[in-house]
Amino acid sequence: MSADIRWDHHREGRTAIPEVVFGPGKTVEHVVRLFSEGEGFRLATRLSEAQMVALKDLATVDLVSRTAVREPRPMRSQPPVGILTGGTGDIPVATEAKVVLESLGHPVKSFFDVGVAGIHRLHSVLPDVKECPVLIACAGMEGALPSVLAGLVDSPVIAVPTSIGAGISEGGTVAMHAMLASCAPGIAVVNIDNGFGAACVAIKILHRLVREA
Amino acid sequence: MSADIRWDHHREGRTAIPEVVFGPGKTVEHVVRLFSEGEGFRLATRLSEAQMVALKDLATVDLVSRTAVREPRPMRSQPPVGILTGGTGDIPVATEAKVVLESLGHPVKSFFDVGVAGIHRLHSVLPDVKECPVLIACAGMEGALPSVLAGLVDSPVIAVPTSIGAGISEGGTVAMHAMLASCAPGIAVVNIDNGFGAACVAIKILHRLVREA
Amino acid sequence: MSADIRWDHHREGRTAIPEVVFGPGKTVEHVVRLFSEGEGFRLATRLSEAQMVALKDLATVDLVSRTAVREPRPMRSQPPVGILTGGTGDIPVATEAKVVLESLGHPVKSFFDVGVAGIHRLHSVLPDVKECPVLIACAGMEGALPSVLAGLVDSPVIAVPTSIGAGISEGGTVAMHAMLASCAPGIAVVNIDNGFGAACVAIKILHRLVREA
Amino acid sequence: MSADIRWDHHREGRTAIPEVVFGPGKTVEHVVRLFSEGEGFRLATRLSEAQMVALKDLATVDLVSRTAVREPRPMRSQPPVGILTGGTGDIPVATEAKVVLESLGHPVKSFFDVGVAGIHRLHSVLPDVKECPVLIACAGMEGALPSVLAGLVDSPVIAVPTSIGAGISEGGTVAMHAMLASCAPGIAVVNIDNGFGAACVAIKILHRLVREA
Amino acid sequence: MSADIRWDHHREGRTAIPEVVFGPGKTVEHVVRLFSEGEGFRLATRLSEAQMVALKDLATVDLVSRTAVREPRPMRSQPPVGILTGGTGDIPVATEAKVVLESLGHPVKSFFDVGVAGIHRLHSVLPDVKECPVLIACAGMEGALPSVLAGLVDSPVIAVPTSIGAGISEGGTVAMHAMLASCAPGIAVVNIDNGFGAACVAIKILHRLVREA
Amino acid sequence: MSADIRWDHHREGRTAIPEVVFGPGKTVEHVVRLFSEGEGFRLATRLSEAQMVALKDLATVDLVSRTAVREPRPMRSQPPVGILTGGTGDIPVATEAKVVLESLGHPVKSFFDVGVAGIHRLHSVLPDVKECPVLIACAGMEGALPSVLAGLVDSPVIAVPTSIGAGISEGGTVAMHAMLASCAPGIAVVNIDNGFGAACVAIKILHRLVREA
Amino acid sequence: MSADIRWDHHREGRTAIPEVVFGPGKTVEHVVRLFSEGEGFRLATRLSEAQMVALKDLATVDLVSRTAVREPRPMRSQPPVGILTGGTGDIPVATEAKVVLESLGHPVKSFFDVGVAGIHRLHSVLPDVKECPVLIACAGMEGALPSVLAGLVDSPVIAVPTSIGAGISEGGTVAMHAMLASCAPGIAVVNIDNGFGAACVAIKILHRLVREA
Amino acid sequence: MSADIRWDHHREGRTAIPEVVFGPGKTVEHVVRLFSEGEGFRLATRLSEAQMVALKDLATVDLVSRTAVREPRPMRSQPPVGILTGGTGDIPVATEAKVVLESLGHPVKSFFDVGVAGIHRLHSVLPDVKECPVLIACAGMEGALPSVLAGLVDSPVIAVPTSIGAGISEGGTVAMHAMLASCAPGIAVVNIDNGFGAACVAIKILHRLVREA
């Protein structure tokens, strides 16, 4: 299949985000080859167990987020992106966003398990949250965290619905629709479990922030 | 059609809730007759403009909740049911619940426009909310209010999704599903815009509370 | 991940319901540690086979409801919560509700397999059902049991749709929507298969019943 | 458009049901012409106000069911089809079925407003219901009537979901899916509000019953 | 769990259909016990591999329809129920209907693989199809077979949508909705893959046919 | 708003289909101006009553299809596109396709009201249908016509679901999904009521047929 | 109802976005009072005809976007937010975003009618588009514009699905889901027709950009 | 089951497409027998691993598209059908279309991985794409490729939504609906992952092209 793939070498120049390896549907051999060839930054997401095992000598593999990173970019000196989760079940998705951001040199500060069923947990971290110029809020079930958060801060909130849930909320559609329907202005939503996509929005914001400065 | 109707005279004895007139699909004449015949308590909900005009000399008509009440029951001496709304758009539904409760003698305390986009509004009324043995929380859009509320109180929360919303949340299905999916335990949900149904659940709780005492 | 978890120690004081361990997404080690540390009441739900095996010396594990209980609260002297099921397939969900209630000291009386396809079964247990101040009705497929029940009793009915079904009703959405749409007033609904959630609503009702008495 | 219509003259011989005029999308003139031309039996359903006014000298117009009948067939001597409704709102749909059956000579017995919120109403008419060789049960909202009914009788139950409902059940999809999902065997379902379709199934059953006898 | 089960011994007398064992959710031991106890007719559907293996000495097990029958009723002398399928993939569902009917003494005639993509196949068996007083038509994908069939015959058509399909039709909802939406009158629909339910409707029709004769 | 519109003058050269005026959302003045300016071919679809009245001196307005044509292209000498409908309700959609094709010089032959509830109607026109190199089949309700048709002919079938239907099929989604799910190969589907889109596919086929010849 | 409204005076300080008047559900008198009281900035969206007429002497009313602005903030000197639309039907939504941004002092540059059916239109404005640090892309129907755009620029793309469409895409759900599903990274989505929400996300981004500078 | 299968020997003469073996639901033995009997062309699609292994000596098995071909037809001399994919994940579906076309003698030219996230990839192959008289465009996720393509070419575009996606787009429904909703005229859509169906439409177009020539 190799001849059929058109690697988009100029993507980062054009869009501020380099091409990234999406694990599903790729053979282990294919993924290994992509991390063996050439040099410099390489990032893979949504890796299978077998893909992670095969990459462990070629890259830094993170089992929670199912990612692999080769030659990450140097960390920049800038205020961190804040990443929040409603529960512990949302941590893999949040960690995918964290790995994408950090591998490309953007510092991150995590605030996990601060969901609305115990709203005091969010209040207790709010001063630190407010320091972050961009926020990523991951939640499953009823997906209420971004709505409460957006009413408390002046940073943009990128909402990531997660597939964590049961019954009607299993799979994440309820959380996603609730985030889109939020009564709190200033929320933008990405696809279910799309930590990668949320990180990309954050990177584009930060990239232009630097470019405009 | 009159001969076809089987009025359920024993419903209150059996279920603690008397039969109530549901406006839609009934002619003005039919509704007027039901309020002209017999005596004692009578309650109608979801009335049309024409039905409300026709009933105004026969009952206390409330334009906000589209209800009519004849000979309400005397008010009991008991702690009030708390009724909360996320926004002002939810007030008609909340008021339907209020009229049903008050007409059957159950005191109510309202906390309107305390939605999660400005969570301080809920915190400011919380002490009074906590005094209520049963809470009814009405919200449209993302429907997050009951989730935040249930994490703060030890009373049961009856959640009423409202049809208030736009785009994906128009009609109330998103709010309803989000309430069912809540990460906060102790929430029970009724149908969209069903202030009447929420009041009935509250009445059955209060009825047994008295019966068991 | 342990550092990321914010255990909500004050939840019971605030909401009448202590924090409960939700099995899915937790490692066996994590669950074991939560039952090894500290002392006093601990409850876990939705446990996997492996989690149940690992907990069997640390707690009372129930295979039907997939729950584990450590140091249950003493049983109170009060009328029982009635738990009904439409069929035998709904028993695991009903049992989850039962374990939650009993572990926190609330007596339960079960009425299983009394669904509407043989309505005489419900009639035969009705006198005992009527003694219960709160009812939990679990049903899958068309979910009609709570509708028939609510027309026969003066207690609140907490309806639990189950995922038992086939074809269009597989997964429980049809039962859930039918329960929300019920023509019988006084029904409040929780998420699909959410025996835990139904028990929490019942506990909050009973808690306030005691507090108000 | 007249030349484009291919009237199916042999439909009754082939299928036991003559071609019927479906009102929606037809001009008043078109409908009038169809009742002015030729002779013998003619039936129209789902008529608009204007169509009903225009037909009132050409046919027996029924305002409740929005039907018109010209030269009905003589009534047969056979046990009646039983038609039940859950509430009064279902009566228009039930009456459409009744008019179709009676206009083609099949006697009908009605049992209206016998829904499950007051199950004693169904028990009180049950002996008469059991005499009917075919039953048509119309219900909106949660659509539970056919499920309870089918567990009590040995006749086939044709279930007609109606669009009567509010919130999630508005439009009839919840009732239709609940009927298809019924735990009670021996139920067959037609489209929402399709009283005509239910009558056609009954006619085909009765037609073969006679043919086989 | 055994004490919780309320076997409905009078179901056949009341509804013409005896209680049947539904495999899913029952342990192998439970199913075996139900076929070991007592005597006379017993039928089980939707059996797992393990349940079928365990029953093979106690009943006639059919691998295609996943059913088991003990002591079937004697075959009656009456015209057969016609069972049609659109494709070969629908045969397991059709066979479930066939086993249910034959085990209760009702003769069946099968017309398999006569779907609308080659409509001549249906025309070629039509004379035999027309002899059947009741027809069961099973189809997946677009579910068009019952619509074409109902326009050609004067018997009632019980339509069984099957889960056979791909893409948008996988699972059978498209076929089910298309059957309910049919432009051909005289079709009644059961749940997806519900061969058992279709057979029950047919049995109730035939039972009353005999009773009325 | 005029300055904001970017008329795509080269669309026909690029895609074989000139830019067409879509009525909805445009003011009457805007539509009139588009038909007053310049010269040559102009086509508008989905016109409102007011738009049609305003255009009647500027173009040939067709009330059935709600279209207007200015300076149609000369008719070509080629075999006609066949346009079929299931019922008379589908004729407006079919006529939109017809007007688009004829206005651009492609002959059409219509076969209306040949739906599957009376399949003999389709058989009777089949020889003429087979002469057409491209077929457009419009149907609402269960949408079975293209499935039957595609099994009988060697031309490509462009299926147009229509919004004609009732209950579950109202709006056309059932018909659209059924057409996509068809068991008959060689069907391609366009959006609901999209006679224009079907005509465009036919035009592109015929355009290349000429170009390749 | 006035006493029930809790105006959130500190919202702008907390969230960078002042409270805005949402027209639907408010009486004309209520809206007029909100624009008559106090002084300084006031913005209303989604106004009815009557509300717009009543406000025309109190504010700058825009008929396309159905907004009213009183005392807009002075325009800042900063690069403009780029607002793109796929078609002309999306202009009202785009204009709502434009009015919100401009009224709060953020310059805007519009690129309307640059949808993917004629991709050259997007390429021709691309150099100007690339100058904008934040982009808002509005599209209905298949909603492809943000996907193509995000592959061409290094700014964040806020995607606004619009309700413009027909058949399956009417109402905007298809466009919204397609935007969430985009293969192009760096897209964040708001609710259907939510030009206001998109503007709020842009404002929060620009606000932090200034704060961090 | 063999006796139940009615092989449609005349299908190719009638519809230009021979009967094809659909793997799912068939035993390995059954599939092997179909490739062992008779002679001449035979094609199977959607084969399982076991079916492919069993056929490897009887036919040319393609692992990517899960197809098997026996005695393909000689390749014709005609311009190729163009097959495009948005990403590499769509290649199996595209290859199914390719195998069907080539096995029946129609040449194919592939343009894989030319999706809209990097639109320059499509522009770079456009001259070759324009030479193809029929185009098949396969895409998952947001499904935008056919919309962009149809605005650039004068050939008909057969759009194949694929199940490739994540979150809301998993399974392909979003891509399918987006393709049907396209703002670009001249697109016709087949079922999700239906490479076979797309090839059949192309074959019918090419067959008539030849027949008319």
Side-chain angles (χ1 to χ4, degrees), chain E residues 12-193:
Chain E
E12 188 167 14
R14 225 169 51 236
T15 72
I17 298 164
E19 184 145 13
V20 168
V21 178
F22 185 69
K26 295 203 175 60
T27 60
V28 168
E29 295 69 36
H30 186 178
V31 171
V32 165
R33 198 175 63 245
L34 290 167
F35 272 77
S36 307
E37 291 172 350
E39 53 185 27
F41 176 79
R42 192 128 300 173
L43 170 62
T45 62
R46 309 264 171 132
L47 295 170
S48 66
E49 294 297 326
Q51 290 170 333
M52 289 194 285
V53 166
L55 288 178
K56 73 174 193 299
D57 295 334
L58 295 165
T60 304
V61 171
D62 180 72
L63 298 173
V64 171
S65 61
R66 313 190 79 91
T67 53
V69 179
R70 188 186 74 179
E71 297 187 41
R73 301 279 165 75
M75 194 62 68
R76 295 154 208 251
S77 170
Q78 66 188 27
V81 173
I83 304 184
L84 302 89
T85 75
T88 55
D90 308 314
I91 291 175
V93 173
T95 307
E96 186 185 83
K98 185 171 181 286
V99 168
V100 174
L101 281 159
E102 291 181 342
S103 71
L104 286 163
H106 297 281
V108 165
K109 191 161 175 55
S110 302
F111 309 92
F112 290 168
D113 203 17
V114 295
V116 302
I119 195 74
H120 59 286
R121 297 177 298 184
L122 179 58
H123 288 304
S124 74
V125 298
L126 197 55
D128 282 356
V129 168
K130 284 183 164 179
E131 293 305 309
C132 304
V134 181
L135 296 169
I136 293 174
C138 308
M141 300 183 186
E142 87 298 317
L145 177 59
S147 293
V148 174
L149 179 64
L152 295 169
V153 300
D154 63 358
S155 315
V157 174
I158 305 165
V160 190
T162 75
S163 55
I164 295 298
I168 191 65
S169 64
E170 194 171 359
T173 304
V174 168
M176 186 179 75
H177 285 166
M179 288 168 177
L180 288 159
S182 177
C183 59
I187 299 176
V189 185
V190 297
N191 199 357
I192 299 162
D193 288 339

Side-chain angles (χ1 to χ4, degrees), chain F residues 1 4-6 8 14 46 176 191-192, chain G residues 88 112-114 117 120 125 166-168:
Chain F
M1 245 186 301
D4 298 320
I5 303 171
R6 296 161 198 264
D8 189 352
R14 226 170 51 236
R46 308 266 171 127
M176 186 178 76
N191 200 357
I192 299 162
Chain G
T88 56
F112 290 168
D113 203 17
V114 296
H120 58 285
V125 298
I168 191 65

Side-chain angles (χ1 to χ4, degrees), chain G residues 71-138:
Chain G
E71 298 187 38
R73 300 280 165 75
M75 194 60 69
R76 294 154 207 253
S77 170
Q78 68 188 24
V81 173
I83 303 184
L84 302 89
T85 76
T88 56
D90 308 314
I91 291 175
V93 173
T95 306
E96 186 185 85
K98 184 172 181 284
V99 167
V100 174
L101 282 160
E102 290 182 343
S103 71
L104 286 162
H106 297 282
V108 165
K109 191 161 174 57
S110 302
F111 310 91
F112 290 168
D113 203 17
V114 296
V116 302
I119 196 75
H120 58 285
R121 297 177 299 185
L122 178 59
H123 288 305
S124 74
V125 298
L126 196 56
D128 282 357
V129 167
K130 285 183 163 179
E131 293 304 309
C132 304
V134 181
L135 296 169
I136 293 174
C138 308

Side-chain angles (χ1 to χ4, degrees), chain A residues 64 88 91 110-114 117-118 120-121 124-125 141 166-169, chain C residues 1 4-8 11 14-15 19 22 26 46 171 173 176-177 191-192:
Chain A
V64 172
T88 55
I91 291 175
S110 301
F111 309 92
F112 290 169
D113 203 17
V114 296
H120 58 285
R121 298 177 298 183
S124 74
V125 297
M141 301 186 186
I168 191 68
S169 64
Chain C
M1 248 186 297
D4 298 320
I5 301 172
R6 294 160 201 264
W7 190 264
D8 188 353
R11 187 173 289 184
R14 226 169 52 235
T15 72
E19 185 146 13
F22 185 69
K26 296 203 174 59
R46 309 264 171 130
T173 304
M176 186 179 75
H177 285 165
N191 199 357
I192 299 162

Side-chain angles (χ1 to χ4, degrees), chain F residues 7-21 41-45 73 76 97 99-101 103-106 158 190 194-208 211, chain G residues 117-118 120, chain H residues 149-157 182-188:
Chain F
W7 191 264
D8 189 352
H9 294 287
H10 307 293
R11 187 172 289 183
E12 189 168 12
R14 226 170 51 236
T15 71
I17 298 164
E19 185 147 11
V20 168
V21 178
F41 175 80
R42 191 128 299 172
L43 170 63
T45 62
R73 301 279 164 74
R76 296 154 207 253
V99 168
V100 174
L101 282 159
S103 72
L104 286 162
H106 296 283
I158 306 165
V190 297
N194 195 4
F196 168 69
C200 289
V201 177
I203 290 169
K204 285 190 150 189
I205 293 173
L206 296 167
H207 168 80
R208 291 299 297 222
R211 220 183 97 172
Chain G
H120 58 285
Chain H
L149 179 64
L152 295 169
V153 299
D154 63 358
S155 316
V157 174
S182 178
C183 59
I187 299 176

